[in-house]
Amino acid sequence: MTTMTFSQAINAGLRQAMDDDPKVLLMGEDIGKLGGVFRITNGLQKDFGAHRVIDTPLAESAIVGTAVGLAYRGYRPVCEIQFDGFIYPGFDQIVCQVAKLHYRTGGAVKMPLTIRVPFGGGIGSPEHHSESPEAYFTHTSGLRVIAVSNPQDAYTMLRQAIACDDPVLYFEPKRRYHSKGDVDLGASLGDAPAMESAAVVRPGADATLVTYGPLVATALDAATAAQDEGISLEVIDLRSLAPVDYAPIEASLRRTGRLVITHEAGLTGGLGAEIAAQLTERCFDYLETAPVRVTGFDVPYPPSKMEKYHLPDLDRILDGVDRALGRPNSLTGLEG
Amino acid sequence: MTTMTFSQAINAGLRQAMDDDPKVLLMGEDIGKLGGVFRITNGLQKDFGAHRVIDTPLAESAIVGTAVGLAYRGYRPVCEIQFDGFIYPGFDQIVCQVAKLHYRTGGAVKMPLTIRVPFGGGIGSPEHHSESPEAYFTHTSGLRVIAVSNPQDAYTMLRQAIACDDPVLYFEPKRRYHSKGDVDLGASLGDAPAMESAAVVRPGADATLVTYGPLVATALDAATAAQDEGISLEVIDLRSLAPVDYAPIEASLRRTGRLVITHEAGLTGGLGAEIAAQLTERCFDYLETAPVRVTGFDVPYPPSKMEKYHLPDLDRILDGVDRALGRPNSLTGLEG
Amino acid sequence: MNAYDGESLDPADWHAVEQLITADGTPVDNPELAGWVGDVTDYELADLYEDMVVIRRIDTEATALQRQGELALWPPLLGQEAAQVGSVRALRQDDFVFPSYRENGVAYCRGANVADMMAVWRGNTNSGWDPHGINVATPQIIIGAQTLHAVGYAMGITFDGTDSAAITYFGDGATSQGDVNEAMVFAASFQAPVVFFCQNNHWAISEPVGVQAHIPIAARAPGFGIPSRRVDGNDVLAVMAATRWALDRARRGGGPSYIEAVTYRMGPHTTADDPTRYRDPNELEDWAQRDPIERLGTLLETRGVLTEDRAAAVAAKADAVARELRAGVINRPDPGPLDVFANVYATPNAAVDRQRDRYARYLAGFGAGTETEGSLS
Amino acid sequence: MNAYDGESLDPADWHAVEQLITADGTPVDNPELAGWVGDVTDYELADLYEDMVVIRRIDTEATALQRQGELALWPPLLGQEAAQVGSVRALRQDDFVFPSYRENGVAYCRGANVADMMAVWRGNTNSGWDPHGINVATPQIIIGAQTLHAVGYAMGITFDGTDSAAITYFGDGATSQGDVNEAMVFAASFQAPVVFFCQNNHWAISEPVGVQAHIPIAARAPGFGIPSRRVDGNDVLAVMAATRWALDRARRGGGPSYIEAVTYRMGPHTTADDPTRYRDPNELEDWAQRDPIERLGTLLETRGVLTEDRAAAVAAKADAVARELRAGVINRPDPGPLDVFANVYATPNAAVDRQRDRYARYLAGFGAGTETEGSLS
Ligand SMILES: Cc1ncc(C[n+]2csc(CCOP(=O)(O)OP(=O)(O)O)c2C)c(N)n1
Ligand SMILES: Cc1ncc(C[n+]2csc(CCOP(=O)(O)OP(=O)(O)O)c2C)c(N)n1
Ligand SMILES: [Mg+2]
Ligand SMILES: [Mg+2]
């Protein structure tokens, strides 16, 4: 075990994947000498050369589109999108090419691309630098989507994503980059939990709290706070957003009967909607109350002085837990 | 009342909007002499001139992006995206500019754009010509999204969309273009139901069937078929997909206790997920069974010889109704 | 002999093009261009002629099959045979092609099975061949998207240190798309061994090329640092020469090149299109005078290569291909319902599996078969 | 005096630029270019000097405020004062500007309130001014997106039959984006009265301009049918002359023009950036020799225009603006929680209203205030 920051763990995962397979290469804006605006690729160009750690011209559609061509040629490109809000110029290539080429070619052409996206808010940035666009991709058939929440997963799941023959969107909670954790750099991928699996990160009995990425830490804090009030929350880290591993959530919900889902993305059509709908379908007879969603608001990501209001925090999550438990909460007395 | 096809109604709506307001102009690929690949803009360039019905170069990002500039200048552009699957090159401009400029400018700049999108399948077309991308836009704050299901709405709601000071995505069910209906061309917009309102298009008592666009006709057929079996379905046409008008659905569900939602878009993260989640939240105590979703599969839109399997049809909708009613259905005996 | 410089020209003007064979079948004196095809024998020229005749026959047959309801759609390449044959026949097998939907002539020359090729247009599959089998990517419908794939592939060639090349085909309309311009930026930045092959067939559905550009398309590339040529796209030899020039640059580390092949879409955009709504019939007649096949036929006849026997053999070949095509189309079984779920992912996926299993259960309720096609899908 | 033709040049080469004032403050003989600014008096030149000094002071003050934690971020324009002032001062009030995040000097000259301008970088609002108030769009962060807006706006000018123009600012990095190239396609196709003003400041964050292009940026436009010029972006007079040339073309129906102003980003990309990781300090020193303000100061001193009094007045103006800016920043109230929901839509929206009402209820539970800022948001 090595103690390292979240960003160092991603760096280590990239390094390991490049050591393991000469077909792995990195592409993106400013990932070379600078090591990326978040320094995730620090030192990699120096060690692997400019042909494997490629500073590209400033065009996201081309970053993804040329990665598709490299995949046709047998490479396993890892693209860095500088910030969440800059993925949209590449949206067409992701949705119409990356996601569909395996289907289009009847399985003849694989698209083992990984697209790394630092996502989410909480870092005081201007517009377009704090978004949570994951639901656009979980709604897109042909893609796999994961969001990591801790250094160990960041390291392991990045290697799994790169090794996967399907395209993977890999979302990194940028506000957690500096958080630290123990990482087992030597563990074999074979022993790791499957990339598609969710994890119960804190067991509990009264309600099930589902989240991913940056809010896992917040959810754990909320669970600790709830404990003080005598409420026992089971916290589940989705890890894989597409497909979602429903088994542990179902198992939890059969015990708790109460579900709270939280994410930074806006409410309407966020991943929470799908999870609420699925669990209502799968566990209807076990549900004591309607699934509760605690999310960012349905607004463009606000100026940073307001992000503390927009982002679900401990208090808003606990208010959601109160709703799920039928305890007094901010909506008490409101019908519907 | 005039009897006309769906496409004629859209054409009439465009014509009326252009007559009403000289700032309205149309932009898109092949919309001039050809009248669009679906002939929706037939005759308009001849009557209004090439400066108001503009054949643009072949670039969707530029179509939307220049429309933004025209809106800055006080115009009300109506963009035609030739097919659903070609909207993605324009995604960045729609999501980052069209949707956000009013918010960004603190209300100083309005974006009264209408983006017309022929959508959905059932016309035997090759890849990218039959998609249902609406959920990408209903998840995007700042946009309004509507989907029309009949000639009268097509005419009226297009005029409402163009007159609206917010940007509107206007989805046209292309496989219904040739269907006919009565249209009141003279009715004033003031008398029309609000653009945001849903409509109960068939009252019923046993279950609530919610849909929009191309599947409204299918849902009505299903209701007729169900009637033969003694099942009374209330069919609701959403009309507005963002925001959704929940009042009539809630009212219906309080009576029926059973909800079925159907759309062509894939299941995961489709609009049905949001509606199921919202109604579970709003009507939990009234629900007899979990909301049922009957949707396209989570696959890229398949080759046209297979679209009949992919698209929800009368039988699949009725199977969903059976699930909602707890009657024997395809999943009977399956747990979860 | 590098950058094209013709700013004041109309992009629709076909006169200002490099030629080796005129519209009436006369050889043109253009030593530099001719140098690239000095080794092409008359016998090989006749092979190109055969290719073009067969491709035209494929086109006619497919159009007929569409009219008969056997194909859902067909995008004719009528008139563009020389542009496609001249370029594709300049390639080596280890070069890789990134085409649009219209390059079915290219695919034929690369060895695509004509019957499988039609499966796309019948609506059975999305890909008419295995891209790795014939080194041709699946035809691209999203205008211009394939140009970036070609550049990426070519970057890979550089990284691998081999001397093959990538070529991408696209239309005059495509030149307006961001992707095509970004492809040039990346190609120039990485000096990728890629050939941009633009078939300026004068139309993007109903829009004349003048909507996309007021100056020749070939003028675009030099501003990106990419040398370009503008050739008569109906002159198979000029096209081949230009493509060899570009490929030679690519193989020798010279980076990307750009070719505008000025040709004409003599048919509708697709069988669903009605060009009488937007184009002057005289234009079509003018272009019929510059037919790519006829002019080569004339030249070969003059040279005594296209004998009656050879012509009969060519016609027989075309017939045979057309028969094979038709039989393949008509006898092709429909895909089964569960084929919908095949190959969404390369690795098992719980979400898709669940839907497939549930749908199978649903179908079983009808006693319906759930057989799959088993072929490409 | 049209298309720029300099294929063999390095895009980072600053020598091959049009100038009117050398780096050491000597006038250059360039009659054609000079003709565009023949009417500019020494007094007016001194005004440009003042603009540049004030803008540099704004930049320094904002950088300091960021270091002091009063601003979240600041994108310095240090070194680019001449490019911004020379171009914006060529405009009429009824022209419309579509800038990127770095054109805060442009905004100042257009009359933006410096305190409000800073609200964006403090994180209070997304727009530092009302675009219709000063005819400057909200700064664009999505690289290149604003160029399409400018073209659309310019198309509107044509439709309205007026003789104003649009100008769009973007960087060397932006030239690689599809949007910027599509903007040129549309501008050329519709002959829109728009000026593409590229500040080649040699860097896109850590990437030197050579990653984007191997030939000068100005060479790009002619291939789209858009004439271009490459000027010394640190020479305020040359920039003004080129911009007037472009605006004149626009006003007379001549369509779009393109200007590459070769300049240098002397500071970091933003205050969050650390250029020592990627750039040679010598390069910075070289460019310090070509400072835009110093050279004009030298010239004006030589001509006796920049007297001690005038210099003192300029400094006083800069001080006053800096004070205004600082006070505005420091005294700016934070937005309230419900401001999050303001202006998502122009018309009432049930989804947003519901969330706002519920959030207000939630806040009320804490007894928290729900006051709004009331200003722009
Ligand atoms: C992104 C996108 N937008 C629109 C279309 C619809 N469309 C199909 S072909 C075509 C015209 C293409 O013209 P061109 O590039 O000249 O190729 P050609 O058809 O002439 O071979 C259009 C607009 C598309 N397929 N993709
Ligand atoms: C679409 C998009 N991709 C990436 C970014 C991140 N980014 C911000 S500024 C910048 C470099 C821009 O360089 P240039 O266009 O030369 O302008 P400059 O900053 O030098 O003024 C990048 C990559 C962005 N803002 N938008
Ligand atoms: Mg064409
Ligand atoms: Mg720059």
Side-chain angles (χ1 to χ4, degrees), chain B residues 275-324:
Chain B
I275 291 176
Q278 285 280 350
L279 273 303
T280 302
E281 186 190 322
R282 292 168 187 248
C283 297
F284 188 72
D285 294 334
Y286 297 89
L287 282 184
E288 303 283 350
T289 52
V292 169
R293 292 179 283 164
V294 179
T295 70
F297 301 119
D298 284 335
V299 303
Y301 198 88
S304 62
K305 286 269 181 196
M306 290 186 257
E307 66 181 337
K308 61 173 177 277
Y309 307 123
H310 178 67
L311 295 172
D313 59 9
L314 192 141
D315 286 331
R316 276 174 64 201
I317 292 173
L318 290 178
D319 181 57
V321 169
D322 285 340
R323 283 166 64 193

Side-chain angles (χ1 to χ4, degrees), chain D residues 2-362:
Chain D
N2 257 358
Y4 176 79
D5 174 31
E7 279 150 49
S8 49
L9 282 174
D10 183 325
D13 186 353
W14 73 277
H15 292 284
V17 293
E18 293 189 271
Q19 274 186 332
L20 289 174
I21 308 172
T22 64
D24 60 9
T26 317
V28 174
D29 189 33
N30 182 339
E32 194 274 338
L33 193 61
W36 291 102
V37 285
D39 62 327
V40 176
T41 63
D42 282 353
Y43 186 82
E44 285 166 335
L45 257 189
D47 283 349
L48 299 179
Y49 177 81
E50 179 182 295
D51 283 340
M52 293 198 286
V53 170
V54 171
I55 287 168
R56 182 161 295 184
R57 184 56 184 276
I58 291 174
D59 197 72
T60 318
E61 197 71 15
T63 300
L65 282 163
Q66 196 282 331
R67 300 289 178 227
Q68 291 156 17
E70 296 293 344
L71 294 181
L73 192 78
W74 174 252
L77 62 93
L78 193 75
Q80 300 178 218
E81 296 86 356
Q84 297 197 12
V85 169
S87 53
V88 70
R89 287 299 187 201
L91 301 178
R92 289 197 323 225
Q93 196 50 43
D94 66 343
D95 296 329
F96 208 103
V97 181
F98 290 87
S100 87
Y101 45 86
R102 208 179 293 286
E103 277 72 62
N104 293 293
V106 169
Y108 163 76
C109 291
R110 294 291 282 183
N113 174 298
V114 289
D116 289 349
M117 193 162 102
M118 291 298 134
V120 173
W121 306 105
R122 189 170 167 86
N124 288 52
T125 69
N126 285 324
S127 189
W129 54 81
D130 175 348
H132 294 304
I134 59 173
N135 283 356
V136 181
T138 302
Q140 183 57 243
I141 291 179
I142 301 295
I143 299 296
Q146 75 278 14
T147 59
L148 286 169
H149 307 167
V151 173
Y153 189 96
M155 288 164 63
I157 292 174
T158 312
F159 302 158
D160 293 343
T162 66
D163 74 344
S164 61
I167 183 169
T168 179
Y169 290 87
F170 54 99
D172 45 300
T175 61
S176 294
Q177 282 284 12
D179 273 7
V180 177
N181 293 281
E182 291 185 8
M184 289 195 276
V185 170
F186 273 55
S189 186
F190 297 108
Q191 288 295 296
V194 61
V195 181
F196 291 92
F197 193 90
C198 177
Q199 287 174 82
N200 172 1
N201 66 3
H202 284 71
W203 292 92
I205 310 187
S206 74
E207 298 188 354
V209 60
V211 170
Q212 320 291 339
H214 291 186
I215 65 169
I217 301 285
R220 183 77 53 89
F224 290 80
I226 301 177
S228 69
R229 304 188 84 127
R230 189 169 200 245
V231 296
D232 182 343
N234 286 6
D235 173 351
V236 73
L237 207 54
V239 171
M240 178 174 271
T243 312
R244 285 184 171 185
W245 160 80
L247 289 167
D248 180 65
R249 295 189 72 250
R251 300 198 203 292
R252 290 190 295 106
S257 314
Y258 193 106
I259 295 165
E260 177 192 358
V262 182
T263 178
Y264 194 77
R265 192 196 80 204
M266 299 191 72
H269 171 68
T270 67
T271 47
D273 180 38
D274 173 10
T276 64
R277 290 179 66 95
Y278 55 80
R279 83 178 169 190
D280 184 347
N282 294 328
E283 192 181 283
L284 188 59
E285 264 179 51
D286 281 356
W287 279 93
Q289 305 304 316
R290 300 174 205 134
D291 190 90
I293 300 185
E294 239 172 72
R295 77 172 75 175
L296 186 60
T298 308
L299 182 76
L300 291 173
E301 279 166 18
T302 315
R303 292 197 185 159
V305 186
L306 192 61
T307 58
E308 255 176 55
D309 277 4
R310 185 76 170 99
V314 165
K317 173 75 185 277
D319 284 345
V321 170
R323 267 195 310 277
E324 184 192 345
L325 186 161
R326 174 171 286 268
V329 166
I330 296 196
N331 298 329
R332 181 166 294 270
D334 283 350
L338 295 186
D339 285 326
V340 170
F341 302 96
N343 295 308
V344 182
Y345 294 92
T347 57
N349 184 286
V352 173
D353 290 350
R354 179 178 161 105
Q355 288 186 12
R356 193 197 46 237
D357 294 349
R358 290 182 158 214
Y359 188 52
R361 248 181 107 99
Y362 166 85

Side-chain angles (χ1 to χ4, degrees), chain B residues 157 193-199 237-240 243 245 248:
Chain B
M157 293 178 77
M195 189 174 74
E196 298 76 17
S197 63
D237 178 356
L238 283 179
R239 293 169 19 104
S240 173
D245 178 17

